[in-house]
Amino acid sequence: MNNFIKIKNLTKKYEKNKSIKVLDDISFNFEPGKTYSIMGPSGSGKSTLLNLLSLIDDPTTGSIEISSNKIKSNNKVENDLIRAKKIGIIYQDKNLLSDFTALENVYLPNLLVSKEKQKSVDLAKKLIKNVGMSSRINHFPNELSGGENQRIAIARALINDPDIILADEPTGSLDSDNAKLIFKILFNLKKKNRIIIFATHNRYFANMADCKIMMNDGNIQIINATI
Amino acid sequence: MNKSLFSALKVERNVMFIILSLIIIVAAFNIISGLTILVKNKTRDIGILKSIGVSNKSIKKIFFLVGFFIGTLATLFGVVVGTLFSIYVESIRQFISNIFGISLFPEDIYILDTLPAEININSIIIISLCSIFATILVSIYPASKASSLNTVKTLKYE
Ligand SMILES: Nc1ncnc2c1ncn2[C@@H]1O[C@H](COP(=O)(O)OP(=O)(O)OP(=O)(O)O)[C@@H](O)[C@H]1O
Ligand SMILES: [Mg+2]
């Protein structure tokens, strides 16, 4: 049950008129129980890397291995299932389905895998309570502030107790107080076996991670903070 | 005299069939365009569903079912309204004649003094099935499209 992410010679190219190499032969091991921050200028490929790790995008060449399972990019069904069970994703904004309440948004991913509604609802309520949003469970996303939406999104990302949490500029559209709150919640999610990876432009939050990954021109540079 | 009347009625019937078929085709295209717009409006939501691990098959199912429900409800609605119309066709004719002061279905041409209408259960069933079949057919395309969108792009969609 060793849980890690291994990427090997990962390359992502876009061919349009001329070829753009967004990721250039990247290899790295993400270890369980650690937090990783991804920094880098705009367009350096942070979102691209996170989309590859979340199996939403396919690499041009190279391989991804999650907990010893080699990912096959043509096996969409399997990859969707891995994403549902093992990976919690938080984007910068508009994470939630606008036609559903906070509670419904949170329990949906669990319903997907457990098919037991009452259990899912109870679990969702507990997680929403953990992010301090209990009084708002029946509100729709457009009735909540940006920060509140992100807290609900975190609760949703956690509902299947994922081994991996990926956050792409989760506080990109929040003020610093809300950003602090979100990162406080995120860092509290660190468990023995969980990998947390987030992209951010904020140096302060990036420095709080166990390991910093600097991206530039399709390459990565690793800076271990706390050793 | 009767012979030419009957052939005229037959032509009328055929033309009616063509017109009504065209209406069904227009209605079918309405479902296609409605669903296509829905897929477009829900592009971001499709991305969100993908991000929580919903399979392409389920996304296809969602949009297919929307089309199917709309079509089936419309069929039921059409059957009810059509049947009521057939039952009360004579009253409706008189009502319209009175209001607009025109004579619909003039007695001296059609020989009959009331507008005949026959409710044929078999026809209703066949037409309903055809229309539901048509909805199924036209829902498939937008649904497949929804499920085959590039997830990265759907997530960037505003
Ligand atoms: N579909 C595409 N076709 C061509 N180029 C693309 C495509 N998608 C992304 N790119 C390019 O890939 C590069 C990396 O994009 P990415 O979104 O990963 O950057 P980022 O590091 O997340 O930037 P930001 O900090 O602004 O979010 C960009 O230069 C972008 O132009
Ligand atoms: Mg980005």
Side-chain angles (χ1 to χ4, degrees):
Chain A
M1 259 309 280
N2 208 353
N3 139 58
F4 54 82
I5 313 175
K6 224 180 223 172
I7 55 178
K8 219 170 156 192
N9 306 112
L10 213 56
T11 300
K12 180 74 183 175
K13 276 193 247 175
Y14 288 105
E15 309 278 357
K16 212 178 224 178
N17 304 326
K18 71 175 199 187
S19 142
I20 309 168
K21 215 173 215 176
V22 182
L23 300 179
D24 187 6
D25 204 27
I26 292 179
S27 301
F28 189 69
N29 280 353
F30 294 92
E31 290 162 23
K34 277 192 165 186
T35 51
Y36 296 85
S37 62
I38 305 178
M39 292 272 282
S42 186
S44 56
K46 303 182 292 295
S47 301
T48 306
L49 178 59
L50 286 173
N51 283 336
L52 291 177
L53 294 178
S54 59
L55 314 183
I56 276 175
D57 204 355
D58 307 322
T60 313
T61 58
S63 66
I64 300 174
E65 214 176 283
I66 296 180
S67 320
S68 309
N69 292 318
K70 199 143 196 161
I71 302 300
K72 295 184 203 72
S73 53
N74 54 6
N75 195 347
K76 302 283 181 223
V77 177
E78 174 75 22
N79 293 348
D80 288 336
L81 207 62
I82 293 177
R83 194 178 319 113
K85 289 184 172 167
K86 295 199 152 198
I87 308 175
I89 308 176
I90 303 146
Y91 297 107
Q92 178 169 349
D93 52 14
K94 295 198 218 80
N95 278 292
L96 307 176
L97 297 169
S98 50
D99 297 330
F100 294 86
T101 63
L103 180 64
E104 288 166 339
N105 264 289
V106 175
Y107 78 67
L108 190 66
N110 192 249
L111 196 59
L112 208 63
V113 293
S114 81
K115 318 270 184 212
E116 286 178 77
K117 186 169 167 194
Q118 197 48 51
K119 264 190 186 167
S120 298
V121 170
D122 293 342
L123 192 57
K125 283 182 177 161
K126 208 178 110 201
L127 287 163
I128 292 176
K129 192 174 169 205
N130 289 348
V131 294
M133 292 289 295
S134 282
S135 57
R136 313 298 297 273
I137 53 170
N138 291 321
H139 286 245
F140 289 88
N142 62 7
E143 297 166 342
L144 303 172
S145 75
E148 290 166 344
N149 265 291
Q150 290 307 77
R151 275 144 76 186
I152 296 294
I154 291 179
R156 184 187 64 186
L158 288 175
I159 192 149
N160 289 337
D161 193 19
D163 296 330
I164 302 159
I165 290 173
L166 303 175
D168 192 353
E169 300 186 38
T171 60
S173 27
L174 302 181
D175 65 46
S176 63
D177 283 350
N178 269 299
K180 265 188 200 137
L181 179 65
I182 297 296
F183 270 106
K184 201 175 144 209
I185 297 173
L186 269 181
F187 279 107
N188 278 338
L189 303 179
K190 196 170 148 177
K191 294 200 309 195
K192 251 205 329 257
N193 255 325
R194 194 175 262 164
I195 300 175
I196 300 176
I197 308 171
F198 58 91
T200 181
H201 283 292
N202 188 308
R203 212 168 288 274
Y204 174 73
F205 296 125
N207 285 333
M208 289 161 69
D210 299 322
C211 177
K212 277 195 289 180
I213 299 171
M214 298 292 297
M215 300 199 65
N216 218 334
D217 283 336
N219 294 303
I220 58 171
Q221 187 196 344
I222 312 300
I223 302 165
N224 278 310
T226 47
I227 296 180
Chain B
M1 188 228 146
N2 270 357
K3 202 175 166 204
S4 56
L5 175 66
F6 276 125
S7 68
L9 286 178
K10 211 166 172 188
V11 169
E12 188 177 327
R13 216 188 147 115
N14 287 337
V15 171
M16 247 0 210
F17 178 79
I18 293 173
I19 293 176
L20 292 177
S21 304
L22 287 176
I23 290 180
I24 289 189
I25 292 175
V26 171
F29 272 96
N30 253 325
I31 295 187
I32 293 189
S33 66
L35 282 183
T36 306
I37 292 171
L38 184 72
V39 170
K40 224 164 165 84
N41 284 342
K42 295 289 174 201
T43 299
R44 172 78 197 181
D45 288 15
I46 293 172
I48 295 172
L49 289 175
K50 289 300 295 177
S51 80
I52 60 173
V54 174
S55 67
N56 288 341
K57 201 171 135 202
S58 302
I59 287 173
K60 193 169 179 174
K61 228 192 254 168
I62 291 170
F63 286 93
F64 175 77
L65 283 178
V66 171
F68 183 72
F69 271 124
I70 294 173
T72 308
L73 276 180
T75 303
L76 285 178
F77 183 74
V79 166
V80 171
V81 172
T83 308
L84 286 177
F85 187 86
S86 304
I87 293 173
Y88 296 107
V89 67
E90 179 54 22
S91 327
I92 293 170
R93 180 184 71 91
Q94 282 171 10
F95 178 72
I96 293 177
S97 298
N98 290 342
I99 282 191
F100 296 105
I102 49 169
S103 139
L104 292 168
F105 200 71
E107 200 181 316
D108 46 343
I109 294 178
Y110 287 92
I111 318 175
L112 301 167
D113 58 353
T114 58
L115 195 54
E118 181 197 13
I119 297 175
N120 183 330
I121 296 293
N122 281 337
S123 304
I124 293 180
I125 292 173
I126 290 173
I127 291 170
S128 301
L129 288 180
C130 283
S131 104
I132 290 175
F133 179 71
T135 5
I136 290 175
L137 217 57
V138 298
S139 299
I140 291 175
Y141 170 72
S144 315
K145 209 159 167 203
S147 69
S148 64
L149 291 173
N150 177 323
T151 310
V152 178
K153 286 184 182 158
T154 60
L155 284 165
K156 283 182 185 165
Y157 193 88
E158 288 304 308

